[in-house]
Amino acid sequence: MSEARKIAAILVADVVGYTRLAGADEDRTLSRLRGLWSDLIDPAIAAHHGRMVKRTGDGTIVEFRSVVDAVRCAIEVQHGLIERNAGLPSQRRIEFRIGVHLGDVVEESDGDLMGDGVNIAARLEGVCEPGGICLSEDAYRQVRGRLDLAVADLGQAQLRNIAEPIRIYSLRVGVPAQAEPETAVQPAVPKRRLALASLTAASVAFLILVGAGAWWLLAGEGSTPPGAARLSIVVLPFTNLSNDPAQDYFADGVTENLTTELSRIRNSFVIARNTAFTFKGKNLDAKEIGKQLGVRYVLEGSVQRDGARVRVNAQLIDAENGADLWADRFEQDVADLFKLQDEVVVRLAHMLQRELVNAEARRSLHDRPRNPDAIDLTMRGLALLNQLVTKASSDEARDLFEQALNLDPTNADALAGAARVDALEFAFGSSDKSADLYARAMQRADQALLLDPNQARAHFTKALLIMFKARPNDAASANEIIAEAEESLRADPSFPWGYWPMAVGEMLLGHYEQSISDLQQAMRISPRDANIGMWHMEMGRALLALTRYDAAIQEGLKAIDSGYRTAQSYASLAACYAAADRAPEARAALAEAMKLNPKLSVAWFHAHIPYFIDSAPGMREGLRKAGLPEE
């Protein structure tokens, strides 16, 4: 039987006192357990990318590629059990003990796991309190400082049949971590971190906040009012404006899912769902709520269903002064309510992330213009990348990221931002040091991922860099592009830009319809994105490959009309015109491209972005037909 060794996060869970429960009422116990598996545990495992290795009677062994996924799953399960046990007498409560360990395991050919990695997780489960979660030191190291729950260090323990003592940490579900006082920024001290190639993107920085309470971010030199951290927000229960009270579940679902998605935003502090719902139906203004909860921002909204249409309104408010910062509306036909809810949440989460970053950037400029800290500078750089990226805004963003890295060389966000700027200049700029830019961008993206394996924008930048070098018929590179893009979207499902390299990877594989679908999904998430013209351009190239010339031209024109007037966008439009035998328009579009980049030629594209003319059949021939020089 073949086997393979690997590093994995292992979760072992078991029902407390199952024999007693079954002995008292076996049928009811089994029925309740089946309900818990189908309604709570299996969905939680799936949501956090776990693989059920096997069921062990009343327990389970689950494999995760990320410790954070494992811990988030454990917290969700334990919190769900608290809610389901509410009001039941102690003798009827179903409680789990859960152990989580990161270690070496042996995978058999049938998918079963063996070895110390599994054994240690099982022993940790055995020493847990009912309703508790115990982590080994190796597992705890991956999530230390990012939990919103109280953690007890149980010290070294000799576990049964385990050779070496294991240090154990216990998470106290339902008990919030103690808030840390805000302190001035100190010179960065590089931390020793464990880099595991098998870890996937699962938003390491953000665990779903399940207990009432909060975790606090470090702030710089008194820039933050007491009790209000950067990017701190509460999502108030959305109001059901439908005439049917039964639609409350949809409004509550949008509220809960938005809370979860916003907790994925880097450096965010999101009030837990249970606390937020205590404000349901209460008529308090945003400033009062902000004072009570210690948050800077309040999100409120409403849901209205009218026949076959659902309308969702959302409004972001500055809790310090009550000012409206942003508002938007999502309206859609009802087909599948759960699918619709997911679309609403992902789109709103993306827009809110952008608006929160922009709001913090403005606050930084106003409150700390002379002495910003690394987080302030990074926020300002990210806000510039949220706009239509130009040479000027790109240079300004790079300067801000560099300043942030001078203050804190371990700032993964700043590293990812700087890498993205370098990658874009390599592809679309006219620098004579393109090789240096490429190497530096890749180095910084890798460094960001060593610091945080779930940095969505670093995965995105790596996908771009691989994409910029990809050649035709290079399936390995295409699959690598898609894999990095998928990691960026797994880390941040509301990050629409992850679909761009994914779409190009699909084009390199000849999957043009799938490429179009990926780009359409990006546009659904961010229909008014400042850089949406890039997606229209890529859509035009995919349509060109499908010989749908009129549609390709329309997408090319949309790219230009949206403000995306680059050498590449005009070149793409020129190729589409030429393929449709519209020679005058093709020559005019290529002339615009040459004005923006006089170095354009077939050879230039091969040196900088070969995918551009090689991933879509008809592009190279169209450009030549339009008059693009060879050298």
Side-chain angles (χ1 to χ4, degrees):
M1 180 178 288
S2 63
E3 61 182 37
R5 286 192 173 274
K6 62 181 180 180
I7 298 294
I10 303 299
L11 179 152
V12 175
D14 198 57
V15 176
V16 178
Y18 174 75
T19 303
R20 171 184 55 80
L21 290 165
D25 190 337
E26 184 175 27
D27 289 342
R28 176 179 289 179
T29 298
L30 287 174
S31 177
R32 290 184 61 207
L33 271 176
R34 290 190 195 101
L36 287 172
W37 281 107
S38 64
D39 298 339
L40 173 64
I41 301 170
D42 285 342
I45 291 171
H48 300 294
H49 319 296
R51 178 181 75 88
M52 178 84 71
V53 177
K54 59 185 171 184
R55 295 271 287 271
T56 56
D58 57 315
T60 186
I61 298 174
V62 187
E63 175 194 9
F64 296 84
R65 292 174 65 194
S66 161
V67 177
V68 175
D69 273 354
V71 173
R72 290 176 62 188
C73 180
I75 293 173
E76 183 172 335
V77 168
Q78 294 292 38
H79 191 258
L81 287 168
I82 290 173
E83 292 181 346
R84 285 160 175 77
N85 285 324
L88 290 176
S90 58
Q91 65 271 19
R92 287 185 51 201
R93 294 175 184 169
I94 293 180
E95 297 179 301
F96 276 73
R97 296 186 179 96
I98 298 178
V100 178
H101 175 59
L102 174 69
D104 186 73
V105 296
V106 177
E107 183 174 16
E108 302 288 346
S109 61
D110 62 357
D112 196 8
L113 298 182
M114 303 178 67
D116 276 352
V118 177
N119 296 336
I120 291 172
R123 298 294 176 246
L124 290 169
E125 176 269 312
V127 300
C128 260
E129 295 180 353
I133 303 167
C134 281
L135 310 182
S136 66
E137 185 173 17
D138 287 337
Y140 177 66
R141 188 180 298 119
Q142 301 299 310
V143 295
R144 178 177 54 197
R146 300 183 176 101
L147 296 168
D148 70 315
L149 304 179
V151 179
D153 183 351
L154 303 184
Q156 298 276 358
Q158 187 66 58
L159 301 177
R160 183 164 59 90
N161 295 331
I162 303 299
E164 298 294 330
I166 300 293
R167 193 175 196 89
I168 303 174
Y169 294 84
S170 175
L171 305 187
R172 300 170 64 191
V173 178
V175 180
Q178 292 295 314
E180 297 179 9
E182 300 186 36
T183 60
V185 172
Q186 302 296 324
V189 179
K191 296 181 179 178
R192 190 173 161 194
R193 301 178 183 258
L194 181 63
L196 296 172
S198 62
L199 283 176
T200 62
S203 301
V204 170
F206 313 114
L207 298 177
I208 297 176
L209 302 181
V210 296
W215 44 302
W216 295 83
L217 302 176
L218 294 178
E221 301 181 8
S223 66
T224 333
R230 290 181 175 91
L231 298 183
S232 52
I233 187 171
V234 59
V235 182
L236 295 180
F238 275 43
T239 304
N240 174 22
L241 299 180
S242 304
N243 294 326
D244 182 6
Q247 296 302 316
D248 276 353
Y249 80 92
F250 185 82
D252 290 350
V254 170
T255 306
E256 293 183 29
N257 290 339
L258 266 177
T259 299
T260 298
E261 288 302 318
L262 290 179
S263 70
R264 295 174 182 267
I265 298 175
R266 299 188 58 78
N267 297 326
S268 68
F269 159 49
V270 185
I271 293 295
R273 175 259 189 217
N274 284 5
T275 295
F277 269 74
T278 63
F279 292 91
K280 188 171 184 177
K282 295 183 179 179
N283 189 21
L284 294 176
D285 67 21
K287 290 193 289 184
E288 178 60 30
I289 293 172
K291 288 178 182 178
Q292 290 188 28
L293 299 179
V295 295
R296 281 182 169 177
Y297 305 102
V298 172
L299 178 70
E300 62 183 18
S302 63
V303 172
Q304 185 173 12
R305 182 174 180 179
D306 184 10
R309 302 283 291 178
V310 169
R311 181 182 298 113
V312 178
N313 291 286
Q315 185 175 20
L316 184 67
I317 302 170
D318 188 325
E320 292 184 3
N321 56 29
D324 294 340
L325 298 175
W326 165 87
D328 205 350
R329 182 169 73 180
F330 185 99
E331 189 169 349
Q332 191 74 17
D333 288 332
V334 176
D336 180 336
L337 272 178
F338 291 104
K339 182 180 179 181
L340 175 62
Q341 184 182 107
D342 290 343
E343 290 182 1
V344 170
V345 168
V346 170
R347 177 171 155 184
L348 286 178
H350 164 68
M351 291 187 288
L352 280 166
Q353 177 169 357
R354 181 193 64 202
E355 293 303 324
L356 286 169
V357 168
N358 291 347
E360 283 300 306
R362 291 192 296 269
R363 188 187 296 268
S364 170
L365 284 170
H366 180 266
D367 294 344
R368 299 166 52 72
R370 295 184 179 178
N371 192 21
D373 63 21
I375 297 177
D376 290 332
L377 292 162
T378 301
M379 292 282 186
R380 284 159 57 181
L382 292 174
L384 286 169
L385 295 183
N386 285 338
Q387 304 169 13
L388 180 64
V389 179
T390 64
K391 182 67 167 65
S393 65
S394 178
D395 288 345
E396 187 178 352
R398 175 188 281 110
D399 182 59
L400 291 165
F401 292 134
E402 296 291 354
Q403 291 181 57
L405 290 171
N406 285 335
L407 293 173
D408 179 7
T410 65
N411 187 319
D413 288 340
L415 282 165
R420 182 177 174 186
V421 170
D422 283 346
L424 292 175
E425 181 169 340
F426 165 80
F428 305 128
S430 55
S431 173
D432 294 329
K433 299 181 178 179
S434 58
D436 294 340
L437 282 172
Y438 188 94
R440 186 170 68 178
M442 185 64 81
Q443 179 185 26
R444 284 177 161 175
D446 284 334
Q447 188 177 353
L449 290 171
L450 282 174
L451 294 166
D452 179 1
N454 301 288
Q455 223 297 337
R457 284 152 183 78
H459 281 295
F460 164 68
T461 297
K462 286 199 69 174
L464 289 188
L465 291 167
I466 300 166
M467 180 178 95
F468 293 150
K469 292 281 191 178
R471 299 283 176 180
N473 304 316
D474 184 357
S477 291
N479 287 319
E480 195 173 355
I481 293 165
I482 293 170
E484 289 291 349
E486 287 176 339
E487 292 297 330
S488 74
L489 292 168
R490 187 172 294 131
D492 185 355
S494 66
F495 180 54
W497 277 86
Y499 289 98
W500 171 30
M502 184 179 294
V504 171
E506 296 288 0
M507 270 195 268
L508 286 165
L509 293 173
H511 303 158
Y512 305 113
E513 295 288 0
Q514 181 59 51
S515 176
I516 290 171
S517 177
D518 292 336
L519 293 164
Q520 288 172 337
Q521 179 62 14
M523 293 178 191
R524 278 194 292 268
I525 293 174
S526 187
R528 294 196 292 274
D529 199 285
N531 295 283
I532 198 170
M534 169 71 76
W535 306 333
H536 284 299
M537 181 193 74
E538 298 292 6
M539 184 92 76
R541 296 196 320 108
L543 289 165
L544 173 64
L546 293 170
T547 67
R548 293 162 57 183
Y549 302 136
D550 288 343
I553 290 169
Q554 289 306 310
E555 290 299 323
L557 291 172
K558 287 178 184 177
I560 303 298
D561 291 343
S562 72
Y564 186 65
R565 298 181 177 92
T566 67
Q568 284 71 37
S569 63
Y570 279 109
S572 177
L573 180 60
C576 294
Y577 274 131
D581 292 325
R582 296 171 62 173
E585 293 99 324
R587 288 193 295 270
L590 185 61
E592 292 297 326
M594 299 298 291
K595 286 179 185 177
L596 292 166
N597 186 354
K599 297 181 180 180
L600 280 190
S601 66
V602 172
W604 186 93
F605 278 115
H606 273 292
H608 286 76
I609 44 174
Y611 88 87
F612 187 82
I613 57 174
D614 291 334
S615 62
M619 180 62 65
R620 181 199 302 268
E621 293 78 7
L623 286 170
R624 283 173 170 158
K625 192 173 180 180
L628 183 71
E630 290 294 324
E631 298 290 340

